[in-house]
Amino acid sequence: MTRLRRFKQVDVFTAVPLKGNALAVILDAEGLTDDEMYAMARWTNLAETAFVLKPASPEADYRVRIFTTDKELPFAGHPTLGTAYALLESGLTPKNPGYLIQECGVGLVQVNQLAEGGQAFSAPPAVLKPLAAEYNDLLASALRGGKIQANVTPVQADMGIIWLVVRMESAQDCLNIKADAAAISQLQTQLGINGVAVYGLHDDNGPANYEVRALIDEDGVLKEDPVTGSANACLARVLKEAGFPDGNNTDQKYLVRQGTKLQRDGRVTVTFIDGEPWIGGDSCTLIDGTLDL
C-alpha cells in the first residue's frame, strides 16, 4: 500500500538553481524495499537518489542509502551534502550543534554547517595506488585532446567509490579533452574504477584554483558528472599525499570549478582542518513536495 512521503529535489554545489548537480531526496524511506528504491532511482533518472532512514548507530542523526539507476553506492559526495541540506531545511534538529552525523555504507560521516552558508563533509579515508605505467597509452587514448602532465603519476583513489585521478598540464587542457568512451570503459573494467577524474591548474586570474571533470562510461555511453563530491574528495587526498604541489598548503584551502563543459558552474571548496580534507558547497531546493510511493 502506498503512502505520501516527503520529497525534495535539490541542486548541489551551487547557490544558483540549475548550475550544480541535481539530487532526489526521499526524506522518509522507511518501509521501502530495495526493488522499490531501485525503481524510484530509475524513475528520477538522476545520477543519484538518496533515501533517508532511521539510523542504527546512536551517534548518527540519520541513515542514507544512495542509489544510481543500476547500483547502490556506499558513499557519494553530492548526495551527502544534498541530503544534509534537505534535512536541515525540513527542520531536522542535529544531535550536536553545528553538525550532522550521517550513517551510510562507509560508516559515519560528519557534515558541518558552515558559518558562511552551505555544508561540508569530512572526506572518508582513501587508499591511494599509483597507476601502473602499462596503462599510460590507454589513458592517453581515453583523454585525447588534452595534455596529461608527464611528471605526475595518475593515482587510483579508493574511498568506497574509486576514481582514477589524473593531472592535466592546465585547466584548459582539462577542458580540451574529447574523451573516448571505449578507452574509458577499458580503464574502468581493467582497473575496477568507477570513472576518471581529471584536473588542471587555473592561472592566478582564473575563476578557481582547479578545473575538474569527472568522466564515466555507462554501458558504452560516455557520461560526464556535473559536480562530483567523491572525485573532489579523492583529489584532496591525492594533493595532500603529493605535499600540496601548488602551494595550497599555505592556507590549506582551495576552490574547484566543475561542470563547465555541461553549461554548469559548480563550485567546491576544499578546506584542510587538522590535516583532514572537508569538501564543501552550497545547495538550493528546486522541488519540494510529496510522493505517493
Side-chain angles (χ1 to χ4, degrees), residues 11-237:
D11 208 6
V12 186
F13 290 119
T14 181
V16 180
L18 309 179
K19 291 296 185 179
N21 198 356
L23 172 73
V25 185
I26 290 77
L27 293 161
D28 174 18
E30 294 295 335
L32 291 176
T33 66
D34 287 8
D35 285 345
E36 288 170 328
M37 291 184 189
Y38 274 116
M40 182 63 198
R42 289 192 294 270
W43 184 81
T44 67
N45 201 32
L46 296 175
E48 285 99 13
T49 299
F51 297 86
V52 179
L53 300 154
K54 295 176 183 177
S57 169
E59 299 175 54
D61 291 279
Y62 61 95
R63 180 164 70 99
V64 67
R65 295 181 67 183
I66 302 165
F67 285 79
T68 71
T69 55
D70 64 356
K71 60 180 176 291
E72 183 174 3
L73 301 176
F75 171 79
H78 101 276
T80 295
L81 287 192
T83 301
Y85 169 81
L87 285 167
L88 289 167
E89 188 183 55
S90 298
L92 176 67
T93 301
K95 292 180 179 180
N96 302 282
Y99 67 91
L100 295 167
I101 298 293
Q102 171 183 284
E103 182 181 322
C104 59
V106 295
L108 300 180
V109 176
Q110 184 170 326
V111 185
N112 285 354
Q113 300 176 61
L114 302 178
E116 64 271 25
Q119 288 75 42
F121 67 84
S122 173
V127 178
L128 305 181
K129 179 183 177 183
L131 182 69
E134 65 190 87
Y135 293 101
N136 286 349
D137 289 344
L138 180 58
L139 181 61
S141 297
L143 303 180
R144 64 188 183 193
K147 295 179 181 178
I148 299 170
Q149 190 158 321
N151 63 343
V152 178
T153 302
V155 176
Q156 295 167 245
D158 181 356
M159 56 174 56
I161 186 169
I162 309 171
W163 289 97
L164 177 61
V165 180
V166 184
R167 182 171 180 126
M168 309 304 291
E169 286 195 358
S170 68
Q172 190 58 51
D173 278 294
C174 189
L175 294 171
N176 287 345
I177 291 169
K178 294 178 174 61
D180 183 275
I184 295 282
S185 178
Q186 287 183 59
L187 287 167
Q188 289 179 195
T189 300
Q190 294 178 27
L191 297 173
I193 59 175
N194 293 89
V196 180
V198 298
Y199 71 104
L201 187 67
H202 278 284
D203 61 31
D204 292 341
N205 298 316
N209 298 103
Y210 296 105
E211 189 76 28
V212 167
R213 296 177 69 185
L215 307 168
I216 308 159
D217 176 78
E218 292 185 0
D219 300 322
V221 178
L222 181 68
K223 294 187 177 182
E224 180 168 348
D225 197 45
V227 202
T228 320
S230 61
N232 277 287
C234 287
L235 172 58
R237 293 287 183 189

